[in-house]
């Protein structure tokens, strides 16, 4: 057993730390992107690939969900990290049956995720049967028979769980949920459960739809943009261009973050001559908030807005909007006026001067956008925090007008589309009714398990089959030891994947690896080239066309995998025409058009130059389809995250050199960390107070209160400008510390951004420890 996670293959003794970078992107970013691409794919494949990235008629970047500009696209509409994501997928290195014959599963389980990912693209379907030490090749139809037999043998369809990661295209997602519901369960956990679930829960309750209300054009019209709990320089680099454009139009940008993230504080746009030479500071103001302090910030700002209204009645609160469109204003006003600003200062670590300065900007703004990501969603009170951000916008009438609105910035490139297509364990009955009408099936109505509940079910033996449509379940989920045991407890684990990862080597009694085409690969079915479609963070739906020659003729498209499994499971006389769908993806889109709201005429509209935008009632017509039929002001008791004496609150985040569990390299260039990932960033004064020195080796020990020892070993302490009591370390190395039961209220999202820990001096106990 590799209890503390495998690291032997990485030598971090050369780890160095330099001062954090002051500006993101610039020419270095371009150089890094090209170098990585050429290493993985060679010169010709690089040129062919990057030229098509995010272009009309090209393929959608598998990096993030930030939208493409609607008008003119720059010849290189991608970023360093988008290019890395593409290089990772379009690599010419391969993991073949010979590879699996050489390396036992046991050996592979001792390798780091970085090493596994570096081996290249999976080329053949592989099976591991009970008692096997090595994966061996299996024919596709035999693999499908094996899965179908196992699914039919379960005593209830609810004993299987079907996970989705957010790269899956709309056509696959639609068919996959159709297969799962035809089979008879709503157990459709997805990566969104760990990601923006809190945003969805808050926005559905407040404005009646769980998606952002702004378009890319609104950035050019806003005069105030707040970016809270998000690191766009690394995770959404093309957003920096939108922010730079907004600033050129006079907008002010406020960064709310515990860390002085490089892209927010400085940015050189590699796509413009001016950007390459001079660069701009993105944030006009930086609020260095304490972890989990955002709810207090938004409530405090609400109070200050009411006070500003008192001093100049009729100028701050948009009475007309509130009266016409909102519910719950009186309760919100009473609650918010009573907020104690001393508590707000303690919770946020911000001064009255900073709070008042921000309130003034809000009060004077005529068009405000609030953007956020994981810093807000992965908190125990994440849903309430996002409701409070929405309250501020409602107070000022900032939804459903140009240059204003809510902007949850999504992660995976099609995570939003997957939800639109029905990947959700609690899809509304209206959707299921439409699905049943179209296909003559009977979808179950009882809600299924999300990610955390799926892990509990596998752990307890209530779920016996795990099927993963992409992703890396064991590494992405919390409480690694519990999750690994849960997966090992399954009868069958199936992973549809492009690349090798830890979820292939931590497996059920029988395990299958099904290799699939990626976004960049050419998809030909029955002699005809196929296209897929995706939805970005701003509800724009468009086509994506891969063009690269697949690395093996054994790769199947995700659509083909779903259809062939369905045929094996249901037989040929099932009411869903699986074989026709596999041959012609237009037929899938015709069905989507009839079932999914807002998708009428899908085949035509998705082929328009920039695709089409899905309806969003608050954005389009200030219509709020909530429980009250109005936009709801939410009232939440003030919650924050105090730091216990002698302890730290740890956030787990991404370095500049990774895509979630896929590690591209060992440098976090912007934060000045080079050659290693096992670091913990701690405030200098905390380091001194705990009796450590910068560079010491420590163990991080979870302080969660259930008596279970959770520990990760041998992390280098790095003095870093994070607030007192707040530390930061990389995901997924620190996932063993995140307790499965520490979840956000109302979204069940693991609290990855507030893990109570203590530091212990690392004791080297020699090999085998
Ligand atoms: N290159 C690259 N791009 C990616 C990804 C990737 O791994 N690599 N992942 C994709 C995915 S799936 C997602 S969800 C997104 C993630 O995008 P981000 O949300 O930007 O990702 P994180 O690295 O988790 O960063 C969280 C940020 O929030 C801050 N933060 C943490 N806690 C708090 C808090 O309590 N309050 C406030 N105000 N700030 C806080 C952190 O300091 C950090 O800047 O990126 C997507 N894009
Ligand atoms: N501690 C901590 N945990 C977190 C987070 C955090 O901030 N802190 N963030 C959470 C978030 S926001 C997210 S979104 C999740 C991410 O969770 P996942 O989406 O499950 O993880 P990824 O690392 O994105 O998945 C990578 C794998 O996907 C496969 N893959 C890549 N492209 C394709 C494709 O086109 N098709 C198929 N079938 N497979 C493909 C490859 O085999 C690759 O190894 O992690 C969550 N976990
Ligand atoms: Mo995410």
């Amino acid at each position: 057993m590799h209890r503390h996670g495998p690291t032997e293959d990485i030598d971090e003794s050369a780890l160095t730390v330099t001062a954090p970078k002051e500006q993101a992107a610039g020419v270095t970013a371009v150089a890094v992107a090209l170098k990585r691409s050429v290493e993985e794919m060679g010169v010709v494949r690089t040129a062919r690939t990057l030229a098509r990235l995010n272009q009309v008629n090209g393929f959608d970047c598998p990096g993030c969900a930030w939208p493409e500009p609607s008008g003119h696209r720059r010849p290189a509409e991608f970023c360093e990290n988008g290019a890395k994501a593409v290089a990772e997928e379009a690599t010419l290195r391969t993991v073949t049956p010979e590879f699996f014959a050489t390396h036992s599963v046991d050996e592979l389980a001792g390798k780091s995720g970085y090493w596994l990912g570096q081996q290249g693209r999976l080329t053949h379907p592989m099976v591991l049967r009970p008692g096997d030490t090595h994966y061996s090749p299996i024919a596709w139809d035999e693999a499908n028979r094996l899965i179908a037999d196992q699914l039919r043998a379960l005593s209830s369809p609810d004993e299987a769980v079907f996970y989705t990661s957010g790269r899956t295209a709309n056509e696959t997602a639609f068919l996959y949920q159709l297969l799962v519901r035809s089979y008879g369960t709503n157990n459709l956990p997805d990566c969104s459960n760990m990601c923006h679930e809190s945003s969805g829960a808050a926005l559905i309750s407040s404005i009646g739809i769980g998606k952002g209300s702004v378009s890319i054009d609104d950035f050019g019209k806003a005069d105030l943009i707040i970016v809270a709990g998000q690191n766009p320089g690394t995770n959404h680099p093309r957003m920096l261009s939108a922010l730079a454009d907004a600033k050129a139009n006079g907008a002010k940008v406020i960064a709310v973050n515990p860390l002085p993230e490089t892209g927010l504080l400085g940015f050189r746009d590699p796509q413009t001559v001016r950007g390459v030479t001079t660069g701009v500071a993105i944030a006009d103001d930086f609020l260095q908030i304490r972890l989990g302090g955002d709810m207090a910030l938004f409530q405090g700002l609400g109070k200050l807005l009411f006070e500003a209204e008192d001093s100049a009645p009729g100028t701050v609160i948009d009475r007309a909007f509130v009266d016409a469109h909102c519910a719950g204003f009186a309760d919100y006003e009473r609650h918010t006026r009573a907020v104690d600003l001393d508590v707000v200062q303690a919770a946020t670590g911000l001064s009255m001067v900073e709070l008042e300065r921000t309130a003034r900007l809000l009060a004077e703004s005529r068009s405000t956008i609030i953007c956020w990501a994981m810093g807000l969603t992965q908190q125990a009170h994440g849903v309430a925090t996002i409701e409070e951000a929405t309250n501020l916008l409602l107070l000022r009438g900032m939804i459903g007008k140009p240059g204003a609105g809510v902007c949850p910035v999504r992660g995976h490139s099609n995570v939003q589309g997957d939800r639109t297509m029905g990947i959700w364990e609690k899809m509304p009955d209206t959707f299921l009714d439409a699905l049943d009408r179209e296909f003559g099936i009977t979808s179950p109505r009882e809600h299924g398990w999300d990610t955390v509940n799926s892990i509990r079910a596998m752990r307890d033996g209530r779920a016996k089959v795990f099927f993963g449509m992409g992703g890396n379940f064991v590494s992405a989920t919390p409480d690694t030891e519990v999750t690994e045991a849960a997966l090992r407890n399954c009868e069958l684990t199936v992973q549809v994947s492009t690349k090798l990862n830890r979820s292939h080597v931590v497996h059920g009694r029988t395990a299958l690896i099904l290799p699939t085409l990626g976004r960049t690969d050419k998809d030909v079915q029955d002699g005809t080239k196929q296209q897929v479609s995706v939805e970005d963070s701003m509800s724009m739906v468009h086509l994506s066309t891969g063009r690269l020659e697949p690395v093996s003729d054994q790769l199947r498209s995700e659509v083909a995998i779903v259809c062939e499994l369905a045929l094996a499971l249901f037989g040929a006389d099932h009411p869903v025409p699986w074989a026709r769908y596999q041959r012609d993806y237009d037929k899938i889109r015709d069905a989507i058009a009839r079932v999914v709201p807002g998708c009428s005429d899908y085949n035509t509209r998705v082929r328009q130059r920039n695709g089409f935008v899905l309806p969003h009632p608050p954005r389009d017509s200030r219509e709020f389809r909530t429980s009250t039929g109005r936009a709801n002001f939410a009232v939440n008791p003030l919650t924050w995250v105090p730091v216990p004496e002698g302890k730290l609150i740890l956030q787990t985040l991404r370095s500049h050199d990774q895509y979630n569990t896929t590690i591209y390299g060992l440098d976090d260039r912007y934060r000045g960390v080079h050659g290693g990932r096992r670091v913990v960033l701690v405030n200098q004064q905390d380091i001194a107070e705990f009796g450590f020195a910068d560079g010491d080796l420590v163990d991080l020990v979870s302080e969660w209160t259930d008596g279970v020892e959770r520990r990760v070993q041998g992390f280098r302490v790095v003095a870093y400008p994070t607030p007192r009591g707040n530390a930061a370390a990389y995901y997924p190395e620190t996932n063993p510390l995140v307790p499965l039961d520490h979840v956000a209220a109302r979204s069940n999202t693991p609290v990855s951004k507030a893990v109570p820990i203590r530091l212990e001096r690392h004791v080297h106990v020699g090999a085998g420890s």
Side-chain angles (χ1 to χ4, degrees):
M1 279 275 149
H2 299 273
R3 189 161 170 273
H4 297 298
T7 51
E8 307 83 80
D9 51 275
I10 301 180
D11 174 10
E12 298 207 356
S13 57
L15 191 153
T16 58
V17 179
T18 56
K21 279 268 176 308
E22 279 170 3
Q23 292 191 323
V27 279
T28 318
V30 176
V32 169
L34 287 178
K35 178 165 176 287
R36 201 66 62 82
S37 304
V38 171
E39 276 166 13
E40 295 267 6
M41 345 181 226
V43 175
V44 175
R45 211 161 147 102
T46 297
R48 192 171 298 157
T49 310
L50 295 185
R52 290 275 173 194
L53 184 46
N54 287 335
Q55 298 300 320
V56 175
N57 298 326
F59 64 90
D60 183 63
C61 181
C64 72
W66 187 257
E68 283 71 59
S70 54
H72 171 68
R73 295 193 190 184
R74 293 156 168 150
E77 194 56 62
F78 62 90
C79 64
E80 172 190 349
N81 279 347
K84 286 188 206 160
V86 167
E88 184 79 16
E89 178 174 299
T91 183
L92 289 168
R93 298 179 207 156
T94 50
V95 171
T96 59
E98 294 71 47
F99 172 93
F100 286 106
T102 317
H103 303 281
S104 72
V105 175
D106 225 32
E107 181 197 338
L108 295 175
K111 299 290 190 189
S112 70
Y114 177 42
W115 188 93
L116 294 174
Q118 289 298 306
Q119 303 312 305
R121 286 286 296 270
L122 296 158
T123 61
H124 286 72
M126 305 296 296
V127 66
L128 187 77
R129 299 182 200 273
D132 285 358
T133 54
H134 293 67
Y135 272 100
S136 56
I138 182 171
W140 276 101
D141 51 351
E142 201 188 332
N144 285 323
R145 246 190 334 266
L146 194 158
I147 302 168
D149 286 348
Q150 187 66 251
L151 288 175
R152 277 193 295 260
L154 295 178
S155 48
S156 151
D158 291 331
E159 289 182 347
V161 301
F162 297 86
Y163 177 70
T164 312
S165 166
R167 273 199 193 172
T168 296
N170 284 349
E171 289 74 9
T172 320
F174 183 76
L175 290 188
Y176 184 54
Q177 61 85 33
L178 179 60
L179 176 146
V180 171
R181 294 193 162 107
S182 301
Y183 170 63
T185 180
N186 279 314
N187 288 342
L188 283 158
D190 68 353
C191 66
S192 199
N193 297 143
M194 301 178 270
C195 184
H196 267 292
E197 196 70 60
S198 300
S199 307
L203 293 176
I204 288 172
S205 171
S206 292
I207 63 169
I209 177 168
K211 299 181 180 184
S213 72
V214 298
S215 72
I216 188 86
D217 295 336
D218 286 315
F219 278 73
K221 298 174 188 151
D223 63 24
L224 178 65
I225 301 171
I226 297 180
V227 181
Q230 198 200 338
N231 178 20
T234 285
N235 297 313
H236 305 91
R238 287 179 302 117
M239 179 177 175
L240 296 183
S241 304
L243 291 174
D245 291 349
K247 285 181 66 75
N249 289 342
K252 290 221 169 355
V253 175
I254 304 178
V256 184
N257 203 302
L259 304 180
E261 301 284 32
T262 297
L264 283 170
L265 303 191
F267 169 53
R268 287 171 183 267
D269 189 341
Q271 317 235 352
T272 66
V273 174
R274 186 174 51 89
V276 169
T277 50
T278 55
V280 288
I282 293 286
D284 298 271
D285 203 356
F286 169 43
L287 301 179
Q288 188 164 27
I289 197 163
R290 298 172 45 158
L291 287 172
D294 304 83
M295 182 177 173
L297 171 67
F298 296 134
Q299 289 201 356
L301 291 172
K303 179 185 175 105
L304 293 173
L305 288 181
F306 279 114
E307 291 179 353
E309 173 78 8
D310 294 343
S311 329
T315 63
V316 176
I317 290 164
D318 186 340
R319 267 282 163 197
F321 177 83
V322 170
D323 291 345
H325 300 293
C326 300
F329 176 75
D331 287 343
Y332 173 68
E333 176 171 16
R334 198 171 322 115
H335 175 79
T336 305
R337 280 185 182 275
V339 166
D340 181 344
L341 290 174
D342 289 336
V343 175
V344 171
Q345 290 174 77
T348 58
L350 301 173
S351 66
M352 270 320 290
V353 173
E354 289 171 304
L355 294 171
E356 276 164 359
R357 195 164 67 210
T358 310
R360 201 167 323 117
L361 282 176
L362 272 172
E364 286 166 2
S365 164
R366 278 174 299 151
S367 42
T368 310
I369 295 175
I370 303 185
C371 307
W372 69 88
M374 298 303 100
L376 265 50
T377 64
Q378 296 174 339
Q379 292 287 357
H381 50 299
V383 178
T385 300
I386 294 158
E387 285 179 343
E388 294 293 345
T390 310
N391 284 340
L392 286 183
L393 293 174
L394 294 178
L395 203 57
R396 304 266 305 113
M398 292 293 176
I399 289 192
K401 73 173 197 184
V406 286
C407 183
V409 182
R410 304 274 162 188
H412 263 302
S413 51
N414 197 40
V415 61
Q416 187 160 318
D418 290 347
R419 278 291 166 90
T420 304
M421 294 296 132
I423 303 290
W424 198 21
E425 74 281 355
K426 46 186 178 205
M427 215 52 200
D429 283 356
T430 47
F431 181 94
L432 302 177
D433 293 343
L435 199 65
D436 290 359
R437 257 196 320 274
E438 169 73 15
F439 294 106
I441 60 167
T442 309
S443 304
R445 293 300 189 272
E446 196 188 330
H447 290 172
W449 291 321
D450 61 9
T451 293
V452 164
N453 284 329
S454 294
I455 296 169
R456 290 176 177 143
M458 290 185 281
R459 175 195 64 192
D460 300 341
R462 285 176 285 127
K464 301 189 168 81
V465 173
F466 175 92
F467 190 105
M469 181 56 78
N472 181 2
F473 193 82
V474 295
S475 296
T477 47
D479 233 346
T480 309
E481 246 182 86
V482 177
T483 304
E484 292 197 350
L487 266 290
R488 290 194 163 107
N489 210 15
C490 288
E491 287 298 321
L492 173 69
T493 49
V494 184
Q495 307 286 351
V496 179
S497 309
T498 52
K499 301 196 83 177
L500 194 60
N501 65 45
R502 192 155 170 83
S503 299
H504 303 123
V505 295
V506 177
H507 53 81
R509 259 167 51 83
T510 300
L512 283 166
I513 300 175
L514 306 180
T516 190
L517 298 176
R519 200 62 74 67
T520 49
D521 296 320
K522 187 158 70 181
D523 182 355
V524 179
Q525 303 293 335
D526 208 22
T528 310
K529 269 194 230 147
Q530 305 291 332
Q531 300 173 293
V532 293
S533 56
V534 293
E535 174 184 345
D536 69 28
S537 200
M538 295 177 187
S539 304
M540 287 295 300
V541 182
H542 60 88
L543 282 177
S544 173
T545 318
R547 285 168 203 268
L548 294 183
E549 213 45 61
V551 291
S552 149
D553 62 5
Q554 283 294 303
L555 303 190
R556 292 273 207 277
S557 75
E558 291 181 335
V559 165
I561 291 171
V562 172
C563 292
E564 288 175 7
L565 174 60
L567 286 168
L569 184 60
F570 306 127
D573 52 359
H574 193 254
V576 180
W578 298 104
R580 195 184 328 146
Y581 286 161
Q582 180 176 345
R583 280 195 307 271
D584 181 358
Y585 298 1
D586 274 351
K587 297 287 183 294
I588 311 171
R589 286 184 280 269
D590 287 340
I592 290 173
R594 289 189 293 269
V595 172
V596 182
C599 290
S600 60
D601 216 5
Y602 196 78
N603 264 313
T604 312
R605 290 196 295 156
V606 90
R607 286 182 163 83
Q608 293 164 2
R609 192 181 145 80
N610 287 308
F612 69 97
V613 64
L614 285 167
H616 189 291
R619 179 198 66 205
D620 301 338
S621 54
R622 292 192 155 178
E623 205 186 307
F624 300 94
R625 299 181 187 161
T626 64
S627 52
T628 57
R630 295 173 150 249
N632 290 318
F633 278 100
V635 175
N636 296 295
L638 179 51
T639 314
W640 52 294
V641 185
V643 184
E645 188 62 32
K647 316 279 190 273
L648 292 169
I649 302 297
L650 174 79
Q651 62 154 322
T652 62
L653 43 43
R654 292 154 173 80
S655 87
H656 192 63
D657 235 0
Q658 73 183 87
Y659 193 90
N660 297 338
T661 69
T662 300
I663 311 302
Y664 301 141
L666 301 179
D667 298 334
D668 193 358
R669 200 169 79 243
Y670 291 168
R671 298 198 185 100
V673 177
H674 309 275
R677 295 178 45 88
R678 295 178 84 80
V679 292
V680 57
L681 313 181
V682 185
N683 182 290
Q684 177 65 57
Q685 284 166 291
D686 287 325
I687 297 177
E689 195 178 294
F690 296 152
F692 293 113
D694 183 78
D696 278 358
L697 273 191
V698 295
D699 292 353
L700 315 185
V701 189
S702 172
E703 280 285 331
W704 188 241
T705 50
D706 58 2
V708 177
E709 152 121 350
R710 296 182 178 84
R711 174 188 296 264
V712 291
Q713 305 204 52
F715 278 61
R716 190 98 42 128
V717 176
V718 173
Y720 203 81
T722 171
R724 290 292 309 266
N726 287 176
Y730 301 129
Y731 134 74
E733 286 81 351
T734 46
N735 285 40
L737 298 173
V738 182
L740 185 63
D741 292 333
H742 192 198
V743 289
R746 296 164 57 198
S747 67
N748 222 24
T749 294
V751 180
S752 300
K753 296 291 189 273
V755 188
I757 59 159
R758 66 175 188 275
L759 304 183
E760 274 185 14
R761 195 167 295 282
H762 177 64
V763 183
H764 190 71
V765 244
S769 66

